[in-house]
Amino acid sequence: MSQSILSALSEDLLFRVYGFLDPPCRKTWRLVSREFHRVDSLSRTSIRILRAEFVPSLLLKHPNLSSLDLSVCPKLDDDVVFRVALDGAVSTTSRLKSLDLSRATAVRARGLETLARLCRALERVDVSHCWAFGDREAAALSVAAGLRELRMDKCLSLSDVGLARIVVGCSNLTKISLKWCMEISDLGIDLLCKKCRDLKSLDVSYLKITNDSVRSIALLQKLEVLDMVSCPLIDDAGLQYLENGSPSLQEIDVTRCDRVSLSSVISILKGHPDLQHLKASHCISEISVSFLQSIKALKHLKTLWIDGARVSDSSLLTLSSSCKALTELGASRCVDVTDIGMMGLARNCLNLKALNLACCGFVTDAAISAGLQSLGCYSKRLQELDLTDCDGVNDRGLEYISKCSNLLRLKLGLCANISDKGVFHIGSKCSKLLELDLYRCAGFGDDGLAAISRGCKSLNRLILSYCGELTDTGVEKIRQLEHLSHLELRGIKNITGTGLAAIARGCRKLGYLDLKLCENIDDSGFWALAYFSRNLTQINLCNCSVSDTALCMLMSNLSRVQDVDLVHLNRVTVEGFEFALRACCNRLKKLKLLAPLRFLLSSELLEVLHARGCRIRWD
């Protein structure tokens, strides 16, 4: 574009044009000229930074950011935070409303307090999977008095004391997630419910809280979403508090609450006629008449999970005819349903977007024909389908499924009766697929994979583990999937360095790679991986034939890797492990090694890994 044309375009016009561009086009836009790059810098409101050394400079270049994602920034620590403060990026950070620090295990109390004081407009923070996040860090974060949303999933060191500091300092919280925070008890939940009266969303999944916590939660008048997955100490008496409590409740998840029965679930339904999402997988043994009557009263029900329940054809017919607005149904491991129930579901629930039928032996070819073919023909809205371990699914079934042309996610793991012919139908007609799971589909081979690679260009997640018929010929076709970010090739013995090299060259966005038990890949494949796959953050190399030199090159070149499994590497010596881990010790977050190496690796290296926030699992 000539300079004369650029000079004729006003700044206001450039900003208006920029507003109409989608993200890929904006990336090209900023490469056109300095003026275009300046417009991009001033207009950008969110950024995901991959390298810690660029954090201060990028914050200065983008002064209008409102969202900052540092979750994949492996070297992030307190020192980087202090440099941000010293380099004068205060004007940018003062506008930040959202901050993602998940897995930033090396950012501790001092860094968090600095961030909380710099980001005065902060409303949303995610510190999930920061295993070292404890009471001191919680106290530091409590300085951010304007917080509205906070995720602390799997902050294993957080106790009631730290939670108390947060709820006292951030009393305006409307959403908080405490999933897997195992030190949180009834005392902490009670204080949370008393101080944060505006809570609309609460996740206490996997906590060892009792009915006393549910009684406190029931007092939250504005609560809309409550997740209590696998809370082993909560029973029917606890859920009874919710029947007349939390009047605004629209979504509840009591999946795998072993001491909860159908009667207490029914009581919740009776007390909340506006409920839209009910998730009660593996805690309802069977669908009773009283449950069906309660379901009929829910005119706005969109999501229903009843996985593991005994569901008869008549019950499924009643459910599907009563819940016309249903968009998501979880019915995995449900017994007693036959083709008749499937046909009724297909005729009545034409708005379904997600259907889970995993481990349902009743799903025969006839059921697929009558049910899923109807969904494909009349609904056109099905986006997610899980048929894992459904023996009745065969090539003819996949032909019917392929008529659901809007499918985004399809799971066919352990479906032993499908072959390349059936997979070809998926590849040729389901071009919008983003995720495909073919785990242990033994009859599927190179031709089928070629069809998928050719027809499903948007795939970002592909699971091919233990598909034993695959060879380099088919695996090389994966290089056509430019958007692929998650790939599992575990246990495929016929792949060599040639196949892996082709994947590395073509799939530059790959972030997760599982090569466990791929024993015939030689160093040539790992060298290619080290050179081309610079976006990898997680890699599993267990039982691979990688050498000392190749492992050191991998760990040195993969500058974004944070999670590595290095068990049973028979060609790697102790010195090889030592050099490889030293090359990446300042960015690792999780590491899996054989237990004997605990006494063979230098204590200095192990101390550095621990100080940087790396969790080591000794296998």
Side-chain angles (χ1 to χ4, degrees), residues 40-79:
D40 174 77
S41 297
L42 294 176
S43 302
R44 198 159 185 175
T45 58
S46 64
I47 190 171
R48 189 185 198 197
I49 301 178
L50 303 178
R51 298 181 65 175
E53 58 266 33
F54 296 144
V55 172
S57 60
L58 285 172
L59 291 180
L60 288 170
K61 288 179 180 178
H62 300 86
N64 296 313
L65 289 177
S66 62
S67 178
L68 177 61
D69 186 349
L70 299 173
S71 62
V72 290
C73 204
K75 296 183 182 180
L76 187 69
D77 57 16
D78 289 348
D79 292 337

Side-chain angles (χ1 to χ4, degrees), residues 256-391:
R256 295 191 183 278
C257 288
D258 298 333
R259 299 174 66 181
V260 169
S261 69
L262 185 60
S263 61
S264 58
V265 174
I266 292 174
S267 69
I268 293 176
L269 301 184
K270 290 179 178 178
H272 300 86
D274 294 325
L275 200 70
Q276 296 183 21
H277 307 278
L278 173 62
K279 301 175 182 179
S281 300
H282 305 291
C283 68
I284 296 178
S285 58
E286 62 179 348
I287 302 301
S288 65
V289 175
S290 57
F291 178 77
L292 293 173
Q293 290 173 345
S294 300
I295 285 290
K296 286 181 180 180
L298 304 180
K299 302 301 181 184
H300 307 291
L301 191 66
K302 296 178 181 178
T303 301
L304 178 61
W305 290 6
I306 50 173
D307 306 87
R310 185 176 295 277
V311 184
S312 65
D313 285 332
S314 59
S315 297
L316 189 56
L317 288 170
T318 303
L319 278 175
S320 59
S321 60
S322 302
C323 307
K324 299 284 187 180
L326 208 61
T327 59
E328 183 176 351
L329 176 63
S332 66
R333 297 184 182 275
C334 288
V335 295
D336 290 349
V337 176
T338 67
D339 302 350
I340 298 173
M342 281 294 296
M343 291 171 62
L345 177 66
R347 286 196 304 266
N348 294 322
C349 296
L350 301 180
N351 293 315
L352 271 182
K353 292 183 179 180
L355 180 59
N356 184 355
L357 297 172
C359 305
C360 289
F362 68 84
V363 182
T364 63
D365 184 47
I368 293 294
S369 176
L372 297 180
Q373 184 183 21
S374 299
L375 287 171
C377 293
Y378 302 113
S379 176
K380 304 297 183 185
R381 297 182 181 180
L382 194 64
Q383 297 178 356
E384 301 182 26
L385 179 60
D386 190 345
L387 294 172
T388 302
D389 201 15
C390 292
D391 294 333

Side-chain angles (χ1 to χ4, degrees), residues 159-227:
S159 73
D160 291 335
V161 175
L163 181 59
R165 295 293 298 269
I166 285 177
V167 300
V168 170
C170 311
S171 58
N172 295 319
L173 281 172
T174 60
K175 182 177 182 179
I176 187 169
S177 180
L178 300 167
K179 186 187 300 182
W180 284 110
C181 295
M182 304 304 292
E183 298 300 316
I184 300 296
S185 69
D186 292 335
L187 184 64
I189 299 300
D190 182 58
L191 183 61
L192 170 67
C193 296
K194 287 178 178 177
K195 292 292 184 179
C196 301
R197 293 289 188 178
D198 293 329
L199 271 182
K200 293 183 178 180
S201 177
L202 174 61
D203 192 340
V204 293
S205 298
Y206 303 100
L207 302 192
K208 294 180 180 180
I209 55 176
T210 68
N211 296 338
D212 291 338
S213 286
V214 184
R215 180 169 51 192
S216 301
I217 292 169
L219 299 176
L220 294 171
Q221 299 298 302
K222 298 181 181 180
L223 190 66
E224 297 176 357
V225 180
L226 176 58
D227 291 322

